[in-house]
């Protein structure tokens, strides 16, 4: 009786993709608009998948209120309306690509969920660009 439950959340954040070991020309060529020196924003959409057994006493895999509170505490309260490069310590030395943001989100959430649950983060940077972690 294993199944998946999902919780969605959104946050708006600014970022700049930049590799400090490269020239400005190479950064511009590789990252394009996302290399804009003055940053730019995205409306990120997060979907957290939680896989587990249905508890026979509650009928729940997990109480989604608990999931929603953890996403708020660990992710949206820290990322929403922030500059990821400047305001979020995890990205001070990590390029805030959608890939790296998804990995950071997964690691932050993973620490706080019982190991009996399997987690997967799906993160949309735009309606057409998104990643899953773990794949
Ligand atoms: Ni961007």
């Amino acid at each position: 009786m294993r199944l998946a439950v999902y919780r969605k959340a959104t946050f708006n954040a600014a970022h700049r993709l930049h590799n400090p070991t490269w020239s400005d020309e190479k950064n511009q060529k590789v990252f394009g608009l996302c290399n804009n020196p003055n940053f730019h924003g995205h409306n990120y959409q997060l979907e957290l998948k939680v896989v587990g057994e249905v508890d026979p006493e509650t009928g729940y895999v997990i109480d989604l209120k608990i999931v929603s509170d953890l996403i708020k505490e660990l992710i949206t309260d820290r990322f929403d309306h922030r500059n990821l490069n400047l305001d979020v310590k995890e990205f001070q030395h990590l390029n805030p690509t959608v890939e790296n943001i998804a990995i950071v989100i997964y690691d932050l959430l993973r620490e706080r969920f019982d190991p009996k649950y399997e987690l997967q983060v799906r993160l949309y940077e735009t309606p057409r660009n998104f990643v899953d972690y773990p794949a």
Side-chain angles (χ1 to χ4, degrees):
M1 291 257 272
R2 273 172 80 74
L3 56 81
V5 297
Y6 295 81
R7 176 74 192 181
K8 293 186 184 183
T10 60
F11 57 93
N12 306 321
H15 77 164
R16 182 193 189 199
L17 302 185
H18 185 78
N19 182 332
T21 69
W22 292 349
S23 67
D24 288 349
E25 293 70 31
K26 184 169 180 185
N27 271 290
Q28 179 57 46
K29 189 165 178 231
V30 172
F31 296 124
L33 288 173
C34 279
N35 183 242
N36 177 26
N38 293 330
F39 306 96
H40 63 279
H42 291 283
N43 299 322
Y44 292 95
Q45 291 205 44
L46 167 64
E47 293 176 16
L48 179 66
K49 177 185 188 183
V50 183
V51 179
E53 301 279 340
V54 176
D55 181 320
E57 289 190 331
T58 59
Y60 290 161
V61 170
I62 188 169
D63 183 345
L64 281 168
K65 176 70 166 69
I66 293 168
V67 177
S68 137
D69 287 348
L70 282 171
I71 291 173
K72 179 174 186 303
E73 175 195 337
L74 298 170
I75 313 303
T76 52
D77 281 355
R78 299 182 61 233
F79 292 12
D80 191 32
H81 288 73
R82 296 300 201 288
N83 180 312
L84 297 176
N85 302 70
L86 302 180
D87 300 332
V88 180
K89 69 175 192 303
E90 285 83 354
F91 301 109
Q92 272 170 9
H93 305 288
L94 180 67
N95 212 14
T97 58
V98 66
E99 290 89 339
N100 282 332
I101 301 168
I103 292 167
V104 164
I105 289 173
Y106 175 87
D107 289 344
L108 289 167
L109 291 167
R110 182 69 272 182
E111 282 182 23
R112 298 282 294 278
F113 278 80
D114 189 308
K116 73 182 182 183
Y117 295 114
E118 184 187 313
L119 303 182
Q120 187 187 45
V121 166
R122 171 166 286 186
L123 185 65
Y124 288 81
E125 187 170 69
T126 72
R128 290 185 289 190
N129 294 348
F130 60 96
V131 301
D132 284 334
Y133 181 75

